[in-house]
Amino acid sequence: MLPLLSNPSLLQRIHKLCFICLPGLTFALVMAPEKKSKGRQKVEIVKMEKDANLQVTFSKRRAGLFKKASELCTLCGVEAAIIVFSPGKKAFSFGHPSVDAVTDRYLVHNSSSNVNTHQSNETHHDSSLEQLNLQLSLLNHQLEAERKHGEELNEIRKAKQTQFWWQAPVEKLELQQLEELKQALVELKGKMMQHINKLLMQASNPPSLLGFTTTEGFSGPVVNYPNDLGHGF
Amino acid sequence: MLPLLSNPSLLQRIHKLCFICLPGLTFALVMAPEKKSKGRQKVEIVKMEKDANLQVTFSKRRAGLFKKASELCTLCGVEAAIIVFSPGKKAFSFGHPSVDAVTDRYLVHNSSSNVNTHQSNETHHDSSLEQLNLQLSLLNHQLEAERKHGEELNEIRKAKQTQFWWQAPVEKLELQQLEELKQALVELKGKMMQHINKLLMQASNPPSLLGFTTTEGFSGPVVNYPNDLGHGF
DNA sequence: CCCTCTATGGTTAGTAC
DNA sequence: GGTACTAACCATAGAGG
C-alpha cells in the first residue's frame, strides 16, 4: 500500500501517537515511514567544536551571507561590502559595486562626519569612554544576574520534570482537586482523540473516528481499534 | 465550540484538505479560522518600487544580515566586517573584532600579494572605543538572550503552577512525555480507585469493593460511579 | 571540496498599533 | 521610526554521494 500522505514527518508523528495512545491499533491507512534524515537541528550560537563541521558550516553560511547581501543591494539599490576571513586565514569578500568603492566611501564618510553605527547596536559614538565602561560593567552585572536566574529556573523546571505532580500521594488531594483532575483528564482524553483524528485526517482520507458529522454519509470504519482509548487508559 | 488546535495555519490546512477531500463535510472539531494576515509573500529580487516599503525592508534585512554575520563570527570564530550605505546615504557597519581591524587586515592581505593602494592607518585612537563598543553590543546580545531564556522559563513555571500542564496543547507533547503521561495515568487510576474504595469503606457500611488490581486492566465494575473515571476516561 | 536530499529552524513580508 | 504578530518562504544541519 502506498502512503497517502507525502509528508513523512507527519506520518511519523501520527504513528507515534497511535502507538502510544492506541496500543494494538492496526494502522492500515498509512505505512510506517522510515526517516531518511534528521533534518535541520537547532544549533547554539557558540564557538563550534568539531573542526570538520566548522569548515562546512563556514562555507554554507558565508555563501548565505553573501547572498543576503546581494539581495539587499539589489532590492534596496544600496552599496555594501563584506570582508570575511576564513578559519584557514583566507580572505573572502563581497562588494557592490566593489569592495574598494565601498571601503573608500566609508573611510571618507567616517573621517568627514565621524558617524559610526556599530554592530546594529545603538550605542552612540559620542559617548565618552567612561560612560561606555560604566555601561559595560552594568551590563556584565545584569548578564550575570540573568544567567543565574536562568539557571535557577532551569533547576526548578528539571526538578518538576523528574518529580511529577501525579506522584504525590492521592490522599493529599482534596475533593475539589479530584474533581478538577477528573475533568481535566476527561478533557485531555478528548483532546488526544481529536488530535489523532486531525492527524489522521491530514494523512489520508478521513477515517470515521468520532467528531465528524457529514452531510453525505461516507463509508464505515477504516481503522480498527482493538483497544479503545476509553478503556485502555 | 473552541478551536482545539492553537495553530491557525494548521487549521487552515486541515480545512483546505477537508474541503477538497470531503465536500459537504461539516467540520465540527475545529472552527474555521479567519485569516488575520496574508503572511510572508514571495518577492522578486529586483529593485523595489515602493519607497515606503523600501526603508522598512532595508532596516529588516540589514539587521538580519548583521545578525547572520555575527552568528558566523561566533560559530566559526572568524573575523568579518560589513559596510552598508542606506538609501538615505547613511553608513552602517558591522565588525568583529572591529571594522578597522578587518579592513586593515584585508588591505594588508591584499597589498602583500598585490598592489598597495591603501595604506591608510588612520584613526587608531578609536580602536579602544571600538573594542568597547563591540563588547558592549555582544554583552547586550547575550543579556537579551539570557533575559528571554529566563522569561521563557518563568512562563513555563507559571504555567505549571497556575494552569496545569494537561491544559497545554496536546500537539506540543512529545513522545517521551506521552509515554510518561500514559504510565502515570494508569498508576493514578489505580491509586484513585484504591483511595475511593478506602473512603467509601470508612464512610459507611462498605459496599462491594474488592479485588481491585492495578496490574490488570480492571474490567468488572467495582464501585458504581455516575461518572466513572475508569470508563469516562 | 563540491553536490544533493530532507526536515526543520529561522527569517521576513505584510499588517496593525 | 519602532514593535508585535502571523503565516509563509527560505536557509541550512546532518547525512550521503
Side-chain angles (χ1 to χ4, degrees):
Chain A
M1 181 185 291
L2 286 177
L4 298 164
L5 190 64
S6 56
N7 184 345
S9 84
L10 184 53
L11 285 186
Q12 203 90 34
R13 283 175 59 201
I14 292 172
H15 272 272
K16 275 185 193 170
L17 271 170
C18 289
F19 180 75
I20 296 163
C21 305
L22 308 164
L25 167 69
T26 302
F27 197 73
L29 276 177
V30 289
M31 294 180 35
E34 62 271 18
K35 267 227 174 77
K36 286 183 183 174
S37 135
K38 282 193 295 182
R40 178 178 181 176
Q41 301 295 300
K42 186 166 186 174
V43 53
E44 290 293 322
I45 302 299
V46 292
K47 180 80 167 67
M48 293 184 74
E49 301 303 331
K50 302 176 65 178
D51 283 348
N53 287 356
L54 195 145
Q55 188 61 37
V56 176
T57 295
F58 175 77
S59 288
K60 283 185 173 185
R61 281 181 174 266
R62 177 175 49 78
L65 185 70
F66 284 10
K67 185 183 176 191
K68 285 275 180 201
S70 163
E71 291 181 358
L72 180 63
C73 292
T74 308
L75 277 174
C76 304
V78 301
E79 300 187 358
I82 305 182
I83 299 169
V84 184
F85 286 94
S86 74
K89 318 292 181 196
K90 203 175 163 193
F92 294 84
S93 62
F94 165 92
H96 177 86
S98 80
V99 178
D100 285 346
V102 178
T103 48
D104 285 353
R105 184 176 166 189
Y106 176 71
L107 289 175
V108 171
H109 199 96
N110 234 14
S111 56
S112 63
S113 68
N114 208 14
V115 168
N116 181 18
T117 60
H118 201 90
Q119 180 134 357
S120 72
N121 200 308
E122 77 294 344
T123 51
H124 296 304
H125 194 255
D126 52 4
S127 308
S128 72
L129 207 80
E130 287 192 21
Q131 271 179 314
L132 275 176
N133 267 320
L134 195 67
Q135 279 189 56
L136 201 59
S137 55
L138 210 84
L139 274 174
N140 255 322
H141 194 72
Q142 286 182 40
L143 178 60
E144 201 174 338
E146 286 289 339
R147 197 165 265 157
K148 205 170 165 184
H149 187 217
E151 277 183 18
E152 195 178 319
L153 286 171
N154 233 337
E155 289 294 324
I156 291 174
R157 191 184 57 174
K158 217 183 292 177
K160 285 214 174 180
Q161 276 182 344
T162 55
Q163 174 189 355
F164 286 102
W165 60 271
W166 58 65
Q167 292 177 358
V170 183
E171 296 78 26
K172 295 287 167 58
L173 295 173
E174 296 299 334
L175 179 63
Q176 180 62 25
Q177 289 174 285
L178 281 172
E179 285 292 335
E180 283 177 8
L181 174 59
K182 184 190 147 195
Q183 187 57 36
L185 291 179
V186 169
E187 283 175 11
L188 179 65
K189 179 200 153 195
K191 280 190 190 174
M192 293 285 281
M193 293 298 292
Q194 282 156 356
H195 184 53
I196 290 168
N197 272 350
K198 267 178 285 185
L199 289 178
L200 283 170
M201 202 163 39
Q202 279 188 314
S204 67
N205 298 327
S208 72
L209 295 176
L210 22 134
F212 291 121
T213 59
T214 166
T215 53
E216 306 174 6
F218 68 98
S219 45
V222 184
V223 188
N224 179 31
Y225 291 96
N227 289 317
D228 186 352
L229 187 65
H231 294 74
F233 255 146
Chain B
M1 181 182 291
L2 287 176
L4 297 162
L5 199 59
S6 56
N7 184 345
S9 91
L10 184 53
L11 283 186
Q12 204 88 35
R13 283 173 56 203
I14 292 172
H15 273 273
K16 271 188 198 166
L17 266 171
C18 288
F19 181 76
I20 295 167
C21 303
L22 305 164
L25 168 69
T26 302
F27 198 92
L29 275 178
V30 289
M31 296 181 30
E34 63 271 20
K35 271 222 175 89
K36 286 183 183 175
S37 109
K38 282 192 295 181
R40 178 180 181 176
Q41 302 294 303
K42 187 168 185 173
V43 297
E44 289 294 321
I45 302 300
V46 292
K47 180 78 166 70
M48 294 183 73
E49 301 303 331
K50 303 174 65 178
D51 282 350
N53 287 357
L54 195 144
Q55 189 60 243
V56 176
T57 295
F58 175 77
S59 288
K60 284 183 173 183
R61 281 182 173 264
R62 177 175 49 78
L65 186 70
F66 284 11
K67 186 183 175 191
K68 285 276 180 200
S70 165
E71 290 182 359
L72 181 63
C73 292
T74 308
L75 277 174
C76 304
V78 300
E79 300 186 359
I82 304 182
I83 300 168
V84 184
F85 286 93
S86 74
K89 316 294 180 193
K90 203 176 164 193
F92 294 85
S93 63
F94 164 92
H96 176 84
S98 79
V99 178
D100 285 346
V102 178
T103 48
D104 285 353
R105 184 176 166 188
Y106 178 71
L107 290 174
V108 169
H109 199 95
N110 247 13
S111 62
S112 65
S113 61
N114 207 341
V115 195
N116 175 6
T117 49
H118 284 287
Q119 200 67 4
S120 55
N121 260 345
E122 58 170 357
T123 64
H124 251 301
H125 68 280
D126 259 358
S127 70
S128 64
L129 199 84
E130 292 246 4
Q131 286 277 7
L132 274 177
N133 259 324
L134 182 72
Q135 278 189 54
L136 199 61
S137 51
L138 275 176
L139 274 175
N140 254 324
H141 195 73
Q142 286 180 41
L143 178 61
E144 197 178 340
E146 286 290 337
R147 193 166 270 156
K148 204 170 166 186
H149 187 219
E151 275 183 19
E152 197 177 317
L153 288 170
N154 233 337
E155 287 293 325
I156 291 174
R157 191 183 57 175
K158 214 184 296 175
K160 286 210 175 177
Q161 279 178 347
T162 61
Q163 162 194 2
F164 288 104
W165 60 271
W166 59 67
Q167 292 176 359
V170 183
E171 58 269 15
K172 293 287 168 57
L173 296 175
E174 295 297 334
L175 176 66
Q176 179 65 20
Q177 290 174 283
L178 280 170
E179 280 175 351
E180 284 174 7
L181 172 60
K182 183 189 160 194
Q183 186 58 33
L185 289 178
V186 170
E187 286 173 11
L188 181 67
K189 190 176 93 176
K191 281 188 190 175
M192 292 283 283
M193 293 304 290
Q194 283 172 348
H195 185 54
I196 289 167
N197 274 348
K198 201 161 45 179
L199 286 180
L200 282 172
M201 208 161 13
Q202 285 175 345
S204 63
N205 43 346
S208 63
L209 32 91
L210 12 117
F212 172 91
T213 60
T214 54
T215 52
E216 303 234 346
F218 65 104
S219 46
V222 182
V223 187
N224 186 25
Y225 291 98
N227 287 315
D228 186 356
L229 187 65
H231 291 75
F233 191 48

